[in-house]
Amino acid sequence: INAEYGTKLREFFAASTSALIDELWFAANDVPLKWHYPVGVLFDAHGDARALPWRIEVHFQSFPASQLLRCPDSATIQAHYTNALKEAKLSQTRRRKSCQRTVARRFQLAVAWIAAS
């Protein structure tokens, strides 16, 4: 988590814990949550719709470096978010074009069938 949000979260939890020594990270059901995955994907993988609200644990120590990528700064988060938006838009555009091609092809086949009849 970037420095700005990390500072705000540390201040919020300072009264509840004395161990604010390591990088901030989140977990659900003892599984570290990857900051670079969309929250919907994380919930689908680790959440339970029958047990809402989703309980997420905030950790300030024992960062699981073997399981999580470190988040160096807010520029990294912004770059990742921008890239995810680009990928989503590209995926959406490709699907739309693919669907339009399929409809056009079916229409052409229907016209050819009618002409041949």
Side-chain angles (χ1 to χ4, degrees), residues 36-111:
H36 54 285
Y37 284 8
V39 69
V41 171
L42 293 171
F43 181 78
D44 288 346
H46 307 291
D48 183 0
R50 296 169 292 169
L52 292 175
W54 189 25
R55 297 182 60 93
I56 297 176
E57 303 149 6
V58 180
H59 297 270
F60 296 98
Q61 58 187 2
S62 303
F63 185 85
S66 64
Q67 296 175 298
L68 294 179
L69 293 175
R70 292 198 182 271
C71 181
D73 54 25
S74 59
T76 303
I77 294 173
Q78 184 177 8
H80 178 74
Y81 179 73
T82 303
N83 189 50
L85 286 177
K86 287 182 194 177
E87 287 178 6
K89 188 63 178 171
L90 182 63
S91 174
Q92 181 185 33
T93 303
R94 282 184 182 165
R95 255 184 277 153
R96 187 180 311 127
K97 285 182 181 177
S98 174
C99 182
Q100 289 171 346
R101 281 191 297 258
T102 302
V103 170
R105 180 70 180 141
R106 286 184 181 168
F107 180 74
Q108 289 172 348
L109 290 173
V111 169

Side-chain angles (χ1 to χ4, degrees), residues 8-62:
K8 288 179 181 179
L9 285 169
R10 286 176 193 278
E11 289 172 1
F12 180 80
F13 287 106
S16 324
T17 183
S18 60
L20 301 175
I21 57 172
D22 203 355
E23 188 170 349
L24 174 69
W25 58 283
F26 300 100
N29 300 321
D30 298 321
V31 176
L33 299 176
K34 297 173 179 359
W35 65 267
H36 54 285
Y37 284 8
V39 69
V41 171
L42 293 171
F43 181 78
D44 288 346
H46 307 291
D48 183 0
R50 296 169 292 169
L52 292 175
W54 189 25
R55 297 182 60 93
I56 297 176
E57 303 149 6
V58 180
H59 297 270
F60 296 98
Q61 58 187 2
S62 303

